[in-house]
Amino acid sequence: MLLAVALSALAMTLIVGVRYLLTSGAFAFATRLRHPRLYAGLEPQVRREIAWSLASAAIYGAPAGVIAWGWQNRGWTRIYADVDVMPLWYLPLSVLAYLIAHDAWFYWTHRWMHRPAPFRLAHAVHHASRPPTAWAAMAFHPIEALSGAVAIPLLVFVIPIHVGALGVVLGVMTVMGVTNHMGWEIFPRWMWSGRLGGWLITASHHQRHHAQYGCNYGLYFRFWDRLCGTDRGLGDFARDHAHAARRAQAHGDIRAGGGDPADGGDARRAA
């Protein structure tokens, strides 16, 4: 039994790691096509983001693998595979319930992570990505990764959900985590600047968090930020893109053997 549990944990760790590499890699490639110079000169940062993220994949994957084994072999959770177990209208409701509950957990743990002691101990790892890239979505200190890894596994013991609906939840979590850190908006304007955007979080909202720190703590929705007075509206990518252009120019000059490397270093520090 212990071997089967360990193999399940290992398999889920590999799944989480590969999912991260494929998703972040795809959106990093999209960034390269849309904004070719945005990540120029950030290669050391990207390598750090990938290393921290793969470590986080183990922290996310191992408990998920144990629970997956328990679901299949012991019926531990409230995950169900037969779609007839619950009414069809419950499928989208369960997805929404998970997203709302996960968003609340994320808001309060994230806000706690910005207190001086936990920030210095753990959350500073994530904010070391300046600016964040598509590879930064899971770049967490193990303490922060652990706080994020328990949310969905706890919910499957409380709220019934179809295995396919759970896949949707995990897909939304992955895509939003990556796209919120890309440094540009991939979603249509109506989704983030219109009436609907007043309640949803996309890259524009999360960019302001990385720029100002003490605001915009949510993951999917702006409800808790609005209720608690921590919503500072949408950010502006113009400054980040201007910094990226200067960084790319300095990076190109150094590679070509022209310019002053010290100037390039100053440009990178300014970014």
Side-chain angles (χ1 to χ4, degrees), residues 236-258:
D236 184 356
F237 295 115
R239 181 181 178 184
D240 288 345
H241 286 208
H243 283 171
R246 292 195 294 271
R247 187 175 61 245
Q249 180 63 47
H251 187 65
D253 287 346
I254 294 171
R255 282 188 150 188

Side-chain angles (χ1 to χ4, degrees), residues 77-160:
T77 74
R78 305 198 70 183
I79 302 171
Y80 60 95
D82 186 352
V83 72
D84 294 327
V85 168
M86 302 289 284
L88 288 178
W89 56 261
Y90 181 75
L91 288 174
L93 182 64
S94 63
V95 171
L96 183 61
Y98 269 66
L99 294 179
I100 290 173
H102 188 202
D103 183 73
W105 175 271
F106 183 88
Y107 176 88
W108 289 107
T109 56
H110 188 193
R111 187 168 176 177
W112 175 78
M113 282 283 177
H114 275 263
R115 296 178 64 85
F119 186 92
R120 287 192 301 269
L121 178 63
H123 195 48
V125 166
H126 185 66
H127 277 278
S129 295
R130 301 189 64 185
T133 76
W135 298 101
M138 291 180 62
F140 302 133
H141 185 280
I143 292 175
E144 182 170 4
L146 184 61
S147 74
V150 300
I152 301 300
L154 288 177
L155 288 174
V156 300
F157 288 96
V158 178
I159 303 176

Side-chain angles (χ1 to χ4, degrees), residues 31 72 74 76 92 101 161 165 189 215 221 233 237 245 264:
T31 300
Q72 292 180 322
R74 296 292 189 270
W76 284 353
I161 190 167
R189 179 174 291 273
C215 64
F221 310 110
F237 295 115

Side-chain angles (χ1 to χ4, degrees), residues 20-21 41-57 124-142 247 268-269 271:
Y20 157 75
L21 291 173
L42 296 179
E43 291 83 2
Q45 175 185 308
V46 167
R47 287 193 291 270
R48 289 195 303 272
E49 290 170 347
I50 293 173
W52 283 113
S53 295
L54 291 179
S56 295
V125 166
H126 185 66
H127 277 278
S129 295
R130 301 189 64 185
T133 76
W135 298 101
M138 291 180 62
F140 302 133
H141 185 280
R247 187 175 61 245
R268 285 191 293 276
R269 284 192 292 273

